[in-house]
Amino acid sequence: MAAVLLNGKELAEKKQAEMKSEVEHLADKGIVPGLAVIIVGANPASQTYVRSKVKACEKVGMHSVLVELPETVTEEELLDQVEKFNKDNSIHGILVQLPLPDHISEQKVIETIIPEKDVDGFHPVNVGKMMLGQECFISCTPYGILELIKAYELPMEGKHVVVVGRSNIVGKPVGQLMLNENATVTYCHSKTENLKEITSQGDILIVAVGRPKMIGKDMVKEGAVVIDVGINRMEDGKLCGDVDFEDCLEKASYITPVPKGVGPMTITMLLANTIQSAKRAYSI
């Protein structure tokens, strides 16, 4: 029997409709959530991501500001721009699109954004609070994965979650979120031995490595929930994930498609974090 699709696009649309209603309610009180997006250089993928974020803001009625800086911008100039938004009361969330040019320290930029406006959830203060299970801004992709699993009422407590990938943006935080939900978590990465043996034990398998179709059905437990975070473009121009979707479709019980799986949830949770930031600013 084919797996049930975890339709992130459908859930994202539902959540954004709810957000639009909430933003309208806030506007009646004179509060308009605002997101500032800064992009450096002309990376086509980054430009696409940024446009989709600005468009999503418009869709739910939020205020957004897009700042496009040249590749040659200095680190000091970029940090000055971040500081301006830190002090701007009409801006409740600041996002600096990664990656940045080599001459700019990503960590320094992330740490310059005040934690109260770090809607990407990358600041060490927010990461630390997430580890402790305290209220904070959660990194958007892991947050989207958590909401997707909850929407389909799939149990996490007591389940063995295997995370393939240990990036600071997805792998590490999503594993911690699963631990906070009382799952037993195993991390796998490029140095893991017997990878197939470990992944095939996962009741929930989350894959975020950026390698097309790396995970086949021989690496998936029968009836597992498979979350594919990867998005890769093949030579024929088609998109695929890190999981071989067609190969695993009959073995998994639930699986995310690529596209229309995790991706739409990432942007949606960015909006959710920004709205939450605006509400906190006005003690709502």
Side-chain angles (χ1 to χ4, degrees):
M1 185 175 174
V4 174
L5 296 189
L6 295 169
N7 193 324
K9 185 174 185 291
E10 192 175 87
L11 179 60
E13 288 173 353
K14 179 186 174 185
K15 283 189 171 293
Q16 286 182 27
E18 293 169 355
M19 288 176 195
K20 185 176 181 182
S21 177
E22 186 173 14
V23 169
E24 287 171 355
H25 181 66
L26 289 171
D28 289 341
K29 299 180 179 180
I31 302 167
V32 181
L35 175 68
V37 181
I38 303 171
I39 182 171
V40 178
N43 180 303
S46 292
Q47 288 177 326
T48 299
Y49 291 143
V50 162
R51 281 196 297 270
S52 62
K53 288 165 184 174
V54 171
K55 186 177 177 182
C57 284
E58 292 172 355
K59 184 178 176 181
V60 301
M62 285 169 48
H63 166 58
S64 67
V65 177
L66 173 61
V67 175
E68 299 178 272
L69 300 173
E71 185 99 13
T72 53
V73 70
T74 67
E75 182 176 273
E76 185 179 4
E77 288 169 332
L78 176 55
L79 296 179
D80 284 346
Q81 183 64 69
V82 170
E83 288 288 12
K84 286 178 185 176
F85 286 132
N86 279 339
K87 296 168 185 173
D88 186 340
N89 291 334
S90 71
I91 295 298
H92 306 100
I94 303 169
L95 182 151
V96 178
Q97 185 66 44
L98 303 179
L100 293 170
D102 292 340
H103 66 279
I104 297 174
S105 165
E106 289 187 357
Q107 196 58 38
K108 192 178 287 187
V109 172
I110 288 167
E111 292 182 19
T112 299
I113 299 170
I114 59 173
E116 295 81 4
K117 296 188 179 186
D118 168 43
V119 289
D120 247 342
F122 294 162
H123 194 286
V125 168
N126 281 318
V127 173
K129 285 186 174 183
M130 184 265 295
M131 291 282 290
L132 296 170
Q134 296 178 3
E135 186 175 315
C136 63
F137 291 124
I138 300 170
S139 183
C140 300
T141 298
Y143 190 9
I145 292 168
L146 179 63
E147 288 298 303
L148 191 55
I149 291 173
K150 284 182 175 180
Y152 282 81
E153 299 181 343
L154 302 174
M156 290 171 272
E157 186 170 328
K159 299 299 181 182
H160 186 186
V161 176
V162 176
V163 180
V164 184
R166 54 174 170 178
S167 73
N168 292 334
I169 293 174
V170 181
K172 289 177 184 175
V174 79
Q176 185 61 46
L177 287 181
M178 295 297 111
L179 185 61
N180 291 352
E181 295 292 329
N182 296 317
T184 299
V185 181
T186 301
Y187 287 98
C188 299
H189 45 80
S190 58
K191 301 293 189 291
T192 298
E193 296 180 1
N194 303 317
L195 180 64
K196 185 192 297 186
E197 183 182 323
I198 298 170
T199 59
S200 58
Q201 295 174 32
D203 301 307
I204 300 174
L205 179 62
I206 303 172
V207 189
V209 289
R211 290 178 58 186
K213 300 186 180 183
M214 173 187 169
I215 303 292
K217 65 181 179 183
D218 61 328
M219 301 177 75
V220 176
K221 180 179 180 179
E222 187 75 43
V225 174
V226 179
I227 309 289
D228 189 353
V229 185
I231 184 158
N232 311 283
R233 193 169 294 279
M234 305 293 282
E235 288 182 5
D236 60 5
K238 292 182 180 178
L239 295 175
C240 75
D242 294 346
V243 174
D244 189 331
F245 179 80
E246 297 296 337
D247 194 43
C248 296
L249 196 56
E250 296 293 328
K251 197 167 186 183
S253 59
Y254 291 83
I255 191 169
T256 56
V258 176
K260 301 180 182 180
V262 173
M265 291 300 297
T266 298
I267 292 177
T268 301
M269 302 333 292
L270 172 68
L271 302 181
N273 280 347
T274 305
I275 292 169
Q276 185 60 38
S277 178
K279 289 165 70 176
R280 286 181 193 168
Y282 289 91
S283 302
I284 297 176

